[in-house]
Amino acid sequence: MVEERLEKLIKEENLRKHFVKVFDEDTILAVHKLAQRGYFNHLEFVISEGKEAVVFRAVDNKGNYFAVKIYKIETSNFKKMYDYLIYDPRFQGISNDKKSVIFAWTKKEYKNLEIAIKANLKVPLPIAYFENCLVMEFIGKDGVFAKTIKEDKPKDPKNAYKQIIKFIAKLYENKLVHSDLSEYNILNHNEDMVVIDMGQAVSTYHPLAKEFFQRDLNNIVKFFSKLGVNKSYEEALQEIKEEISF
């Protein structure tokens, strides 16, 4: 009984620390607004945390789970975000103040996910966004969020590699480059590779799109070579070209 209480207190303390880092008054109001609109009932606990955002598991009144990504207004690198946004025609003319950039970035991730979903790519389904908060499909089973392929390596690396090559090709067909693709933002969901963190994805017309594309592909080739899928960058690029149809 004492151990259960102690464990509960530790969880509450960890959640409180995250709340202090993430929840300013505006963010609290944004979360409340999304809950009022019926997208979820409340946030439960932290699934993951990065430099720019914290992802929470949320639940609705029926017990359905959702992932709620909240971008940190105070600590996000909004100047770097702005550099990605200014070349996107969807966001031309945005102010370069911190809140405007982060709100636009949240919208950008939502819109990029929409493009990927319409292309039948495996990404979390975007559900809603407001200011710095993004509600998405929960990727996991029985309330347990799927792990990245860095943590949960594919049982069939060749098949997983093929899935990612097809993803990169199909995304490019739809005029987007992920720009931050690696083993840290691909989830292994029952051996289906689900790509996350689409906020950084840029148009193929972005002046640095080619550089980002090369970096993404190098990351994938490097990771899968460790799993026995020995492909050169040139071989992987040729496979992508064979997948693309214009």
Side-chain angles (χ1 to χ4, degrees):
M1 194 72 177
V2 174
E3 288 180 354
E4 287 179 3
R5 283 188 63 194
L6 181 59
E7 186 178 352
K8 184 179 179 182
L9 285 171
I10 290 170
K11 285 182 178 178
E12 288 175 351
E13 176 62 15
N14 287 336
L15 191 59
R16 186 191 68 78
K17 289 177 181 177
H18 285 292
F19 268 59
V20 169
K21 285 191 285 185
V22 176
F23 288 94
D24 58 11
E25 185 177 350
D26 288 339
T27 301
I28 291 170
L29 291 173
V31 171
H32 183 62
K33 179 73 72 174
L34 288 165
Q36 274 187 324
R37 292 175 181 173
Y39 294 112
F40 56 85
N41 187 21
H42 62 274
L43 305 182
E44 293 186 302
F45 53 80
V46 174
I47 295 171
S48 65
E49 181 177 7
K51 293 178 181 178
E52 313 294 346
V54 178
V55 181
F56 291 85
R57 191 180 84 173
V59 65
D60 66 12
N61 291 325
K62 295 180 181 178
N64 299 309
Y65 297 119
F66 303 91
V68 178
K69 187 172 189 176
I70 302 177
Y71 280 98
K72 304 172 184 177
I73 291 176
E74 290 305 318
T75 59
S76 288
N77 187 348
F78 77 100
K79 291 182 180 178
K80 182 180 178 182
M81 289 177 170
Y82 185 71
D83 290 339
Y84 280 81
L85 284 164
I86 55 174
Y87 297 106
D88 192 320
R90 296 171 296 179
F91 302 99
Q92 286 182 351
I94 66 163
S95 301
N96 63 351
D97 64 280
K98 187 178 291 187
K99 281 189 178 181
S100 295
V101 170
I102 292 171
F103 292 174
W105 187 270
T106 306
K107 180 180 179 179
K108 180 170 179 269
E109 181 157 17
Y110 180 91
K111 295 297 183 182
N112 287 344
L113 286 168
E114 276 192 325
I115 291 170
I117 288 290
K118 286 177 183 176
N120 293 317
L121 292 173
K122 290 178 181 175
V123 298
L125 176 69
I127 296 169
Y129 70 93
F130 183 67
E131 295 186 346
N132 59 322
C133 303
L134 173 63
V135 185
M136 298 174 286
E137 174 188 8
F138 182 89
I139 305 297
K141 185 178 179 181
D142 299 326
V144 179
F145 200 66
K147 294 180 180 179
T148 67
I149 58 173
K150 170 72 175 177
E151 304 166 296
D152 183 13
K153 294 178 175 56
K155 294 175 183 175
D156 185 347
K158 287 184 179 179
N159 179 52
Y161 167 82
K162 287 179 182 178
Q163 289 184 52
I164 299 304
I165 290 296
K166 287 181 178 180
F167 179 94
I168 296 171
K170 192 69 175 177
L171 192 66
Y172 194 89
E173 273 187 9
N174 285 270
K175 304 292 188 289
L176 284 180
V177 175
H178 187 281
S179 305
D180 192 32
L181 194 61
S182 74
E183 63 269 29
Y184 295 98
N185 46 34
I186 301 171
L187 302 180
N188 184 351
H189 182 44
N190 300 323
E191 296 304 302
D192 282 335
M193 305 297 106
V194 181
V195 176
I196 58 173
D197 295 339
M198 290 288 290
Q200 208 155 337
V202 300
S203 163
T204 51
Y205 300 109
H206 190 287
L208 296 177
K210 183 178 180 180
E211 179 183 324
F212 294 154
F213 177 91
Q214 291 171 338
R215 184 176 65 190
D216 283 355
L217 192 53
N218 271 317
N219 286 342
I220 295 306
V221 167
K222 184 178 178 181
F223 174 74
F224 279 97
S225 68
K226 296 175 184 176
L227 303 184
V229 183
N230 296 311
K231 299 281 185 176
S232 67
Y233 174 88
E234 290 72 24
E235 287 172 326
L237 181 60
Q238 182 58 38
E239 289 171 346
I240 287 172
K241 288 178 178 178
E242 290 170 2
E243 292 286 344
I244 294 175
S245 57
F246 290 109

